[in-house]
Amino acid sequence: MKSAVFYGKHDLRVEEYAQPEVGPEDVLIQVKACGICGTDVHIYEGDKGAAEVTPPTILGHEFSGVVVKTGDKVTEYRAGDRVCIDPNCYCGACDACRNGEAHFCEHMIGYGTTVNGGFAEYCAVNYRQVYRLGENTTFEQGAMAEPVACCLHGLDMCEIRPGHQVVVIGGGMIGLLMVQLAKLAGAAKVALLEPVEGKREVGKKLGADICIDPVNEDVKAALAGSGMNWVQTVIECVGRPSTIEQAIEIAGKKAVVMMFGLTKPEETIGVKPFQIFQKELVLKASFINPYTQKRALDLIDSGRLDVSSMIYDVCGLDRLGDILSQPQLRAKGKYIISPEK
């Protein structure tokens, strides 16, 4: 099968690879759509993502497709089912799993990280990680279920209440999802900080009440001028020390600062403990997507969450290396890989 295989930092090769064997509890999926995630970029750059990657590995953990074969013990799915996957498979027996924090599983299997994933024509997955797509959900939308599930976990930790004021920093795919989810959670006002005009326009379309250019505008003055004088939640979706520090700076008293964007492992931020003390800030971070995949799919299928407006292009596997290596391409929006192209 045609596959994009990661061999090490900056070494991704599109080549023929053996089609996976189907174990008794596995489902073989013909991949129709696989999203390019920031984690894939970190791995391509030689950094650690959410899990260790041992090359050679087929990356890709945001994917959907059609079931073409099932293992002998699988009764829940059959050939022809339209599905997507939750890529993180927990052991159920380690201390983290037995204490109800399975996303910190000591023996986690990650499709597209620790084992082969969706940047290929086919992928074999344990049936427990498979979810049917709703009738209204396309394959491209189904590939967005995993990032939405991650956002839902982070949003749950923000504890947004009806009437809250929320600032989202970064208008990429994750930030645009967070804008919508904050509104669905009941936020009275949501501000989006994003330097790219086109992304601000999409943010406005998706429900942002205020869109601010943080490069050319005074952010604090713009927020105050819009009546956002007590920001209860700031969600940082960029993953840069400077924007995390900005999130702490603009947060209101007793606010939650959600550091959702993934930084490089060695990066640090400058924090003034007195500032955190003075405002009673709560700093949080969010790790993967424990048990939120079904909620994500239901939201997408309901039509209440737009996951299509931020998709810039659907490309073949041959474009994957260029997209991973060129930030100017990724700045245009979300890319989906279709192995059929």
Side-chain angles (χ1 to χ4, degrees), residues 211-282:
C211 292
I212 301 170
D213 179 352
V215 175
N216 298 304
E217 295 184 65
D218 183 324
V219 172
K220 282 190 171 182
L223 289 172
S226 301
M228 295 187 68
N229 297 307
W230 195 319
V231 175
Q232 283 97 349
T233 309
V234 185
I235 308 175
E236 196 279 345
C237 300
V238 181
R240 294 179 183 170
S242 60
T243 45
I244 296 173
E245 291 165 4
Q246 181 184 43
I248 294 169
E249 179 67 27
I250 64 177
K253 291 180 173 61
K254 296 190 74 69
V256 171
V257 175
M258 169 54 67
M259 298 174 287
F260 197 86
L262 183 62
T263 66
K264 288 181 174 292
E266 70 277 5
E267 287 181 326
T268 60
I269 60 172
V271 177
K272 298 175 182 176
F274 185 80
Q275 187 180 33
I276 296 171
F277 150 75
Q278 201 172 33
K279 294 197 286 186
E280 272 195 17
L281 297 184
V282 178

Side-chain angles (χ1 to χ4, degrees), residues 77-191:
Y77 301 96
R78 63 184 62 186
D81 285 348
R82 300 166 63 253
V83 299
C84 70
I85 73 149
D86 175 351
N88 303 306
C89 188
Y90 314 131
C91 76
C94 69
D95 283 348
C97 287
R98 289 160 73 97
N99 278 286
E101 304 291 351
H103 57 310
F104 296 112
C105 175
E106 297 167 19
H107 311 291
M108 187 189 299
I109 295 171
Y111 294 100
T113 50
T114 67
V115 297
N116 288 336
F119 288 140
E121 292 183 292
Y122 297 92
C123 185
V125 178
N126 186 287
Y127 80 95
R128 294 180 181 87
Q129 304 309 115
V130 178
Y131 292 77
R132 285 186 181 85
L133 300 184
E135 292 182 1
N136 304 311
T137 303
T138 66
F139 289 118
E140 288 78 14
Q141 291 171 324
M144 296 285 282
E146 192 272 349
V148 172
C150 291
C151 287
L152 283 171
H153 176 53
L155 191 88
D156 289 346
M157 295 175 68
C158 289
E159 300 178 7
I160 296 171
R161 298 177 183 175
H164 272 190
Q165 297 180 357
V166 178
V167 174
V168 176
I169 301 179
M173 181 266 294
I174 292 294
L176 294 173
L177 291 175
M178 284 298 197
V179 165
Q180 297 179 80
L181 291 172
K183 295 291 283 189
L184 288 171
K189 287 188 177 181
V190 177

Side-chain angles (χ1 to χ4, degrees), residues 56-73:
T57 300
I58 299 171
L59 303 180
H61 57 276
E62 305 175 355
F63 63 95
S64 64
V66 176
V67 174
V68 293
K69 186 177 180 181
T70 60
D72 295 339
K73 294 184 178 180

